[in-house]
Amino acid sequence: MQTIKNHITLIGNMGANAHITNFDNGNKVARFDLATHKFGKSNNTEWHKVFAWGNMAKFIESYGEKGKQVAIHGRLVNRTYLTKKGEKRKATEVEVKHIIGL
């Protein structure tokens, strides 16, 4: 039996306040972009699409805000979706399992 390990840890800054979606069943999801920075000869910023469910979403809704530095641990999720024009797109996102405000 093969075990698949899919873990990612990032430290960065929230690019904007999280977008919160509340569902009829009481669950919620928080979505935001996270900027990570590479310092050196070329200072690069990379952007990551991040989402969290349940208690993690509640925490982000209460304590997360634009510019807030956070450490997140989660897993990469690949998904396919259709644009409003019906075009097929692919996205890679990070599903948060743990978050710490720094």
Side-chain angles (χ1 to χ4, degrees), residues 20-55:
I20 307 297
T21 303
N22 294 293
F23 297 97
D24 292 339
N25 66 3
N27 203 359
K28 62 177 59 193
V29 64
R31 293 185 174 280
F32 63 94
D33 292 330
L34 184 73
T36 57
H37 310 287
K38 179 181 177 184
F39 299 102
K41 290 182 181 179
S42 60
N43 295 334
N44 292 339
T45 300
E46 290 191 32
W47 290 93
H48 312 273
K49 298 223 173 278
V50 177
F51 70 96
W53 293 98
N55 289 335

Side-chain angles (χ1 to χ4, degrees), residues 65-80:
E65 59 185 19
K66 181 178 180 177
K68 177 82 173 175
Q69 187 176 44
V70 295
I72 63 170
H73 180 75
R75 68 185 189 100
L76 291 177
V77 175
N78 294 305
R79 67 181 180 91
T80 303

Side-chain angles (χ1 to χ4, degrees), residues 7-11 34 36 71-75 94:
H7 302 279
I8 185 168
T9 301
L10 298 169
I11 298 173
L34 184 73
T36 57
I72 63 170
H73 180 75
R75 68 185 189 100
V94 179

Side-chain angles (χ1 to χ4, degrees), residues 79-91:
R79 67 181 180 91
T80 303
Y81 64 95
L82 294 176
T83 66
K84 291 179 181 178
K85 294 181 178 181
E87 299 166 326
K88 197 174 192 180
R89 299 272 193 246
K90 293 183 179 183

